[in-house]
């Protein structure tokens, strides 16, 4: 309290003095008598209304017969009597007025000056002190052009390559950077040139920022971290100034690493902006290019940047001599996911029955951020259940929470809607079971999760890179199985299949226009996608084909969807007893795992049994309220991430 008072005491004193002076000046102005001209004073003397005049320098204080007092000014360096006689005042009239000479005070002039200037000086000083305090409190009010990069010294590394899992190939690529920072003379002796810039490319959550920190930790050098959006401010030239300041700091601390996260914020292709080609962002990019060219061979400063949109970067950034090496941080495979899980479970108590390989097998398409969130959700669930260790049930439930969201058991629906939901999800699962190219059913539930009102979870047996035409066709039938079950059992359909229909239409059109999977249209790509680089997203598609071809495309899409719908109808019609049995069981327990679902097909002729993997171990089910049908969501991209159906 006392320290704060001492620190700000001068500011408080200046405020009090300024306010006091302002009030004094205002009161003096309010009490000052009225001022009149010398001509009016002469007229009042001629009428005999003036009784007394006090002369103080050039200022006159005039008192009338009615005790009224006002002030006036005489001519400079001219006697008052002479001035009045020029205005028609006779010596006789002047003799009737009492004249008094008062010597002027030496302090009056100074007081007038101080009363005018002092408030301005005090206000100006107060403003300067406020700005200084703001600058001292890290607001950088007076240093807009300084870099906002966060600096890590590197003497006590918190992240190393041991903390980065599931990216062995990327670590091997970046090991050269670490060796250069540790032993630059080994490369210089052979005349080798280490890349000045390394661009980390990959989907969000794959560990690009973590990898950059690991490089710094392994090399033990300073690490300057900044986001691309932190360069540009509302003031012109601030971005370029911050770039210059950042590189100057890096050169003074070499060898070191500069890491720019989300570089696409300032590195987008030039000349694509809506406001022309001379905006602030482009000037910042130009300064980055200049600084990268200005690196000396002995500077030992390496620039690392990360982005998930390398396609929109300016080509000048990607040429040799700048970001001439790109390291891809892709989604991990099953082995990589297991390694990542082992990293995130460090220091956390686990039950002996926990099998991380099973969790990794059941999470295709998950990135490092998803897996970290999965482990955290499992720990939260274990704490909520008052357990001392994280068990397999908590981790398996955490997988579902990450994919579909938390359970929403509070939603109350009617028994009729619950029955529709059960048949909808049973239709998805039954069609998937009967078609050989569909992924095996892992779980069926009519318990609401997130935005999904019910789901059928299908997990691939292995990580998939390519998707065949037959699999696309079978997945389409599985997605339409829920709607077909509603129509077959109830003779009507609901809006529960809206997302199913959307996915079906997109996949079928992609099969025709992008993948060349239509015998009628042939192995061709129809339509060209155009992107506005300034916005960084798709804004439209240009047709490079005629209206007749467009009609043929629509016919092919309709044919593919119709065949998939008929395929689902045939399966559900032939196995209607199974459909009713699965739905009845769902109404009773609300959740079926892989083992319970597969039990319906045991001993049935013509249906080969499916071997259960480790991810299909039985799980306990608990009663809950039902939900509305939700979409089946097979992925059309490699390494699909499971999603609720």
């Amino acid at each position: 309290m006392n320290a704060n008072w001492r620190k700000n005491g001068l500011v408080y004193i200046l405020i009090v003095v300024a306010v006091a002076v302002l009030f004094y000046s205002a009161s003096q102005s309010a009490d000052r008598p009225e001022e009149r001209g010398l001509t009016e004073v002469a007229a009042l003397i001629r009428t005999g209304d003036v009784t007394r005049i006090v002369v103080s320098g050039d200022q006159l204080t005039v008192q009338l017969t009615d005790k009224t007092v006002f002030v006036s000014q005489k001519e400079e360096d001219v006697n008052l009597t002479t001035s009045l006689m020029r205005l028609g005042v006779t010596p006789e009239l002047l003799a009737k007025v009492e004249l008094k000479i008062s010597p002027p005070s030496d302090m009056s002039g100074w007081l007038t000056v101080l009363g005018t200037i002092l408030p301005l000086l005090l206000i100006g000083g107060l403003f300067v002190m406020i700005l200084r305090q703001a600058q001292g409190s890290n607001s950088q009010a007076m240093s807009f052009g300084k870099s906002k990069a966060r600096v890590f010294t590197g003497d006590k590394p918190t992240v190393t390559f041991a903390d980065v899992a599931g990216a062995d190939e990327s670590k091997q690529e970046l090991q050269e950077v670490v060796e250069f920072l540790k032993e630059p003379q080994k490369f210089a002796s052979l005349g080798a040139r280490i890349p000045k810039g390394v661009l980390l490319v990959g989907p969000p959550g794959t560990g690009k920022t973590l990898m950059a920190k690991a490089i710094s930790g392994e090399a033990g050098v300073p690490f300057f971290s900044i986001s691309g959006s932190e360069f540009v401010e509302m003031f012109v030239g601030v971005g370029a100034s911050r770039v210059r300041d950042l590189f100057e700091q890096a050169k003074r601390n070499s060898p070191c690493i500069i890491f720019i996260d989300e570089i696409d914020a300032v590195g987008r292709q030039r000349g694509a902006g809506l406001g022309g080609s001379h905006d602030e962002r482009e000037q910042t990019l130009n300064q980055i290019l200049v600084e990268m060219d200005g690196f000396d061979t002995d500077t030992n400063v390496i620039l690392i940047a990360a982005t998930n949109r390398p396609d929109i970067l300016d080509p000048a950034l990607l040429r040799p001599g700048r970001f001439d090496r790109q390291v891809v941080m892709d989604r991990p495979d099953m082995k990589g996911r297991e390694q990542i899980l082992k990293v995130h479970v460090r220091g956390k108590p686990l039950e002996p029955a926990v099998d991380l390989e099973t969790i990794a097998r059941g999470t295709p398409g998950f990135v490092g951020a998803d897996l970290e969130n999965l482990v955290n959700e499992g720990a939260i669930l274990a704490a909520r259940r008052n357990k001392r260790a994280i068990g397999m049930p908590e981790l398996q439930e955490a997988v579902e929470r990450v994919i579909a969201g938390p359970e929403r058991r509070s939603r109350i629906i009617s028994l009729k809607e619950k029955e529709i939901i059960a048949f909808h999800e049973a239709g998805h699962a039954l069609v998937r079971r009967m078609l050989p190219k569909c992924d095996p059913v892992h779980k069926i539930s009519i318990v609401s999760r997130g935005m999904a009102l019910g789901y059928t979870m299908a997990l691939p047996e292995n990580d998939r890179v390519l998707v065949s035409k037959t699999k696309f066709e079978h997945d389409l039938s599985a997605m339409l199985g829920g709607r077909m079950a509603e129509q077959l059992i109830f003779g009507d359909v609901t809006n529960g299949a809206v997302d199913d229909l959307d996915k079906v239409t997109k996949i079928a059109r992609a099969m025709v226009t992008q993948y060349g999977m239509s015998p009628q249209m042939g192995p061709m790509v129809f339509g060209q996608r155009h992107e506005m680089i300034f916005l960084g997203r798709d804004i439209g598609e240009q047709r490079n084909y005629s209206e007749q071809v467009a009609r043929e495309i629509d016919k092919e899409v309709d044919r593919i969807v119709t065949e998939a719908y008929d395929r689902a109808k045939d399966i559900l019609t032939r196995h209607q007893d199974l459909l009713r049995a699965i739905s009845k069981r769902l109404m009773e327990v609300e959740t079926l795992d892989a083992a319970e679902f597969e039990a319906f097909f045991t001993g049935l002729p013509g249906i080969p049994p499916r071997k259960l993997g480790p991810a299909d171990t039985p799980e306990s089910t608990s009663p809950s309220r039902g939900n509305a049908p939700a979409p089946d969501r097979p992925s059309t991209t490699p390494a699909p991430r499971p999603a609720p159906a």
Side-chain angles (χ1 to χ4, degrees):
M1 181 72 178
N2 294 334
N4 292 333
W5 170 256
R6 288 193 298 269
K7 183 178 179 181
N8 302 319
L10 183 57
V11 178
Y12 298 147
I13 293 174
L14 288 175
I15 294 174
V16 172
V17 173
V19 172
V21 172
L22 289 175
F23 272 105
Y24 176 78
S25 300
S27 63
Q28 290 293 100
S29 300
D31 298 338
R32 185 179 178 89
E34 180 185 2
E35 185 172 357
R36 301 182 185 181
L38 189 60
T39 304
E40 187 176 353
V41 175
L44 291 172
I45 293 175
R46 291 195 300 269
T47 58
D49 294 328
V50 179
T51 60
R52 185 182 182 187
I53 298 177
V54 179
V55 183
S56 178
D58 293 334
Q59 183 175 346
L60 306 177
T61 303
V62 183
Q63 183 177 353
L64 303 180
T65 55
D66 58 357
K67 305 300 182 181
T68 303
V69 179
F70 64 88
V71 295
S72 183
Q73 295 285 334
K74 74 178 185 63
E75 299 179 46
E76 188 176 357
D77 298 330
V78 179
N79 187 275
L80 176 62
T81 303
T82 303
S83 299
L84 292 175
M85 292 180 66
R86 290 176 181 175
L87 296 173
V89 179
T90 62
E92 292 80 9
L93 294 173
L94 193 59
K96 297 179 181 180
V97 179
E98 179 185 357
L99 294 178
K100 183 179 180 180
I101 307 299
S102 177
S105 176
D106 296 335
M107 297 297 295
S108 61
W110 288 105
L111 290 176
T112 303
V113 172
L114 289 176
T116 305
I117 299 178
L118 185 60
L120 299 178
L121 293 177
L122 292 175
I123 294 174
L126 179 63
F127 182 71
V128 171
M129 292 201 65
I130 292 175
L131 286 182
R132 288 182 177 179
Q133 285 196 342
Q135 186 177 4
S137 61
N138 297 324
S139 68
Q140 298 186 353
M142 302 295 292
S143 57
F144 298 104
K146 299 296 183 181
S147 172
K148 295 184 177 181
R150 294 162 293 279
V151 183
F152 304 91
T153 58
D155 53 350
K156 297 181 180 179
T158 58
V159 181
T160 62
F161 280 157
D163 300 310
V164 183
D168 296 336
E169 294 82 2
S170 302
K171 286 194 289 187
Q172 292 177 1
E173 288 283 333
L174 297 172
Q175 188 65 39
E176 296 179 3
V177 177
V178 176
E179 293 180 1
F180 172 74
L181 292 172
K182 286 184 175 181
E183 302 176 288
Q185 66 279 359
K186 182 175 70 171
F187 296 86
S189 62
L190 298 175
R193 180 183 64 84
I194 290 295
K196 294 181 180 179
V198 179
L199 184 64
L200 303 179
V201 180
T206 51
K208 298 184 293 293
T209 304
L210 186 67
M211 181 66 77
K213 292 182 179 180
I215 296 173
S216 174
E218 290 287 338
V221 298
F223 182 79
F224 294 82
S225 177
I226 191 172
S227 174
S229 60
E230 296 182 52
F231 286 112
V232 182
E233 290 277 0
M234 63 180 290
F235 301 102
V236 177
V238 171
S241 176
R242 288 178 176 175
V243 172
R244 289 191 295 269
D245 183 71
L246 173 62
F247 280 82
E248 289 175 0
Q249 293 183 43
K251 291 175 183 178
R252 290 195 299 266
N253 293 273
S254 65
C256 67
I257 294 174
I258 298 176
F259 176 63
I260 303 178
D261 201 7
E262 305 295 344
I263 194 174
D264 50 278
V266 294
R268 296 171 185 253
Q269 185 171 338
R270 290 169 291 181
L274 297 176
S277 60
H278 299 285
D279 61 359
E280 176 68 6
R281 180 187 57 79
E282 292 192 4
Q283 300 304 320
T284 305
L285 173 59
N286 292 335
Q287 189 63 44
I288 293 176
L289 299 177
V290 171
E291 294 292 342
M292 294 186 71
D293 284 338
F295 278 2
D296 299 328
T297 55
D298 57 348
T299 301
N300 297 340
V301 176
I302 294 181
L303 181 61
I304 301 177
T307 180
N308 51 22
R309 293 297 308 274
D311 54 311
I312 66 174
L313 294 180
D314 194 279
L317 275 175
L318 305 178
R319 74 161 177 81
R322 289 175 179 152
F323 287 109
D324 43 10
R325 176 172 294 188
Q326 296 188 20
V327 177
V328 178
M329 302 285 294
D330 205 354
R331 299 179 183 273
D333 55 10
M334 191 190 77
K335 182 180 178 182
R337 293 194 299 272
E338 184 179 357
Q339 294 174 354
I340 295 173
L341 287 171
K342 290 180 179 179
V343 171
H344 290 304
V345 299
R346 291 177 185 170
K348 295 181 175 62
L350 299 179
E351 293 181 353
V354 171
D355 187 1
L356 296 181
E357 182 182 356
T358 299
I359 302 299
R361 188 182 301 274
T363 52
F366 274 44
V367 296
D370 295 326
L371 297 173
E372 191 276 336
N373 188 31
L374 185 154
V375 175
N376 186 64
E377 289 288 343
I380 293 174
L381 288 172
R384 188 181 301 169
R385 297 169 182 176
N386 297 321
K387 298 180 64 176
R388 296 183 177 272
I390 305 173
M392 200 66 178
E394 286 78 28
L395 292 177
Q396 289 178 334
E397 185 174 347
V399 173
E400 298 179 26
R401 290 175 67 91
V402 173
I403 294 175
E407 290 185 351
R408 300 172 61 189
R409 296 179 177 271
S410 59
R411 175 173 293 180
I412 301 177
I413 61 173
S414 64
L415 186 62
K416 181 63 175 178
E417 287 182 335
K418 185 176 180 180
E419 186 181 11
I420 296 175
I421 296 165
F423 275 101
H424 184 102
E425 300 303 331
H428 283 309
L430 183 56
V431 175
R432 281 194 174 277
R433 178 60 178 83
M434 295 301 177
L435 294 175
K437 293 296 183 178
C438 288
D439 296 327
V441 176
H442 176 66
K443 193 172 187 179
I444 317 169
S445 178
I446 59 174
V447 178
S448 175
R449 284 188 177 273
M451 299 300 295
L453 302 176
Y455 60 95
T456 299
M457 184 180 296
L459 300 178
E461 296 177 339
N462 300 293
D463 289 333
R464 186 180 297 108
V465 179
L466 301 174
V467 182
S468 65
K469 175 186 175 183
T470 305
K471 177 167 175 54
F472 275 130
E473 293 173 345
H474 288 187
D475 283 339
L476 293 178
S477 297
M479 284 186 282
L480 294 171
R483 177 184 171 94
M484 186 67 246
E486 294 181 19
Q487 183 177 348
L488 185 65
I489 300 300
F490 303 101
D492 198 1
V493 293
T494 66
N495 62 345
V498 58
D499 200 47
D500 293 331
L501 301 179
D502 180 65
K503 298 293 184 184
V504 165
T505 305
K506 290 180 179 179
I507 294 175
R509 185 166 293 275
M511 291 174 63
V512 177
T513 60
Q514 299 179 36
Y515 307 148
M517 295 180 177
S518 170
Q520 181 68 26
M521 305 307 300
M524 295 179 62
V525 175
F526 299 92
Q528 295 180 348
R529 292 186 175 183
H530 288 270
E531 294 185 352
M532 180 171 283
I533 302 177
F534 181 78
L535 298 177
R537 59 185 303 170
D538 298 341
I539 62 170
E541 184 176 83
Q542 181 182 359
R543 284 189 176 183
N544 56 359
Y545 49 87
S546 65
E547 289 295 330
Q548 181 179 355
V549 174
R551 286 193 293 268
E552 294 295 327
I553 292 175
D554 292 339
K555 290 181 181 178
E556 280 298 287
V557 173
D558 179 77
R559 179 188 63 81
I560 293 174
V561 175
T562 302
E563 290 180 357
Y565 199 65
D566 292 339
R567 191 179 301 111
K569 181 180 180 180
D570 178 66
I571 293 174
L572 295 178
T573 302
R574 289 188 291 108
H575 302 282
Q576 193 171 148
D577 294 339
L578 276 175
L579 177 65
R580 294 182 180 275
I582 297 171
S583 303
K584 182 180 178 182
R585 183 59 178 169
L586 276 175
M587 291 282 291
E588 296 173 354
V589 300
E590 297 186 338
T591 301
L592 294 176
D593 59 31
E596 292 173 331
F597 176 70
E598 192 63 26
F600 287 96
F601 305 92
T602 303
L604 293 180
I607 301 178
R610 184 176 72 88
K611 182 180 179 182
L612 297 178
D616 298 327
T617 55
E619 303 176 12
S620 61
T621 59
S622 57
S624 64
R625 297 183 178 92
N627 312 93
D632 187 297
R633 300 178 184 173
S635 174
T636 63
T637 59
R641 175 172 172 171

